[in-house]
Amino acid sequence: TEFLNKKTDLMMWKQANRHRRAVTKQIIRDSDSGAGQSLDFDGIPLSCRSMGYLLPGGHELLKDVSLEVPQGKIVAVVGPHGSGKNTLLRIIAHQLFPNIGDVFVPSHLRLLHVRRHAQILDRTMLQNLTLGCPSAEPPDLDRPKAILKELLLEKYWQEVEAETSGAVRKQESKQWFKSMTHSEQNLFGLARAFTMNPEVMILDSPCMHYQEAVAKQVEDLL
């Protein structure tokens, strides 16, 4: 009962999504009132306006953050330890919410926050790889297979082939990740994100702790 009665961020999520829709609609209205020009939805930037964030206890970690990022760009957030890089990314991803100002991501864009350490679900490899993808149709296996190959995880594809062919029992098909190293599990988390292919992907230190050759593969895939 205590757990079920804990506060959630549901209302803040609703407020953030309503803000995204309202701002997007206003941009559309402003475009319609222009000189007969159609709106380029891919031209609507992501932005922060005078955004600030306080840590518990009142310490001001982020103050008056304003930025604008065009769609289709790769942007790196750099700075010293403790300067708020991870917090900024989590705010943009709607994992945290600012105390002042606002963050705007056009409402037609899907957001995905990819943590540094992957969370592997107690499901089959294919179910993990296609998590977040539309499930109305059978998954396209060519895409995740190609992504695993790019991330040097192709040897694990035999698990998917065994699963789809019925060569392993359902319970056995959930044991695949136990043979992976910690780095391979994190790479698998990236593979899952690339399989979902969201319009906005927010990654926390995606190349950290990898050897140079593996980090290069990640950068090339990005």
Side-chain angles (χ1 to χ4, degrees):
T1 302
E2 179 182 354
F3 177 78
L4 294 176
N5 287 331
K6 285 185 178 295
K7 293 178 63 176
T8 71
D9 58 0
L10 177 61
M11 297 308 298
M12 300 180 76
W13 262 98
K14 285 187 173 181
Q15 182 179 354
N17 285 327
R18 286 169 181 162
H19 173 70
R20 291 177 64 188
R21 291 194 295 269
V23 175
T24 303
K25 287 180 179 178
Q26 184 60 52
I27 293 173
I28 294 173
R29 284 195 292 267
D30 292 344
S31 174
D32 290 341
S33 63
Q37 297 181 349
S38 60
L39 175 63
D40 177 13
F41 282 90
D42 292 336
I44 304 176
L46 289 68
S47 63
C48 293
R49 303 294 183 195
S50 303
M51 187 268 289
Y53 183 77
L54 301 177
L55 293 174
H59 173 68
E60 189 175 50
L61 181 62
L62 299 173
K63 179 181 179 181
D64 196 24
V65 177
S66 295
L67 57 88
E68 190 170 277
V69 178
Q71 293 184 43
K73 299 293 183 180
I74 297 178
V75 178
V77 179
V78 297
H81 179 70
S83 59
K85 303 183 299 296
N86 182 55
T87 299
L88 174 61
L89 293 180
R90 293 181 66 193
I91 289 174
I92 296 173
H94 295 359
Q95 299 294 310
L96 297 173
F97 299 92
N99 300 101
I100 190 171
D102 65 77
V103 175
F104 170 65
V105 178
S107 59
H108 63 287
L109 302 181
R110 294 173 301 158
L111 276 168
L112 179 63
H113 180 244
V114 184
R115 298 171 58 184
R116 184 183 310 171
H117 303 293
Q119 179 67 47
I120 306 297
L121 303 181
D122 185 24
R123 295 291 185 268
T124 67
M125 175 176 280
L126 183 59
Q127 288 171 335
N128 269 272
L129 269 177
T130 57
L131 180 69
C133 299
S135 58
E137 300 178 359
D140 176 13
L141 299 183
D142 291 338
R143 179 178 178 82
K145 182 178 181 179
I147 290 170
L148 287 182
K149 181 178 180 180
E150 288 291 327
L151 293 176
L152 309 179
L153 297 174
E154 188 178 19
K155 63 182 179 181
Y156 292 104
W157 185 251
Q158 61 184 346
E159 298 288 342
V160 174
E161 293 178 333
E163 174 189 345
T164 54
S165 67
V168 295
R169 291 179 297 179
K170 185 175 181 181
Q171 189 59 36
E172 292 175 343
S173 66
K174 297 180 182 180
Q175 306 301 313
W176 54 272
F177 63 90
K178 293 184 178 180
S179 63
M180 283 183 165
T181 66
H182 181 70
S183 293
E184 287 177 333
Q185 289 185 21
N186 290 336
L187 284 172
F188 184 85
L190 288 174
R192 178 169 54 198
F194 286 119
T195 299
M196 180 182 174
N197 196 28
E199 289 79 16
V200 181
M201 190 183 298
I202 300 161
L203 303 108
D204 180 8
S205 305
C207 297
M208 182 175 285
H209 304 313
Y210 297 137
Q211 296 179 355
E212 184 177 351
V214 179
K216 181 64 166 54
Q217 291 294 110
V218 174
E219 292 175 358
D220 290 345
L221 198 53
L222 286 170

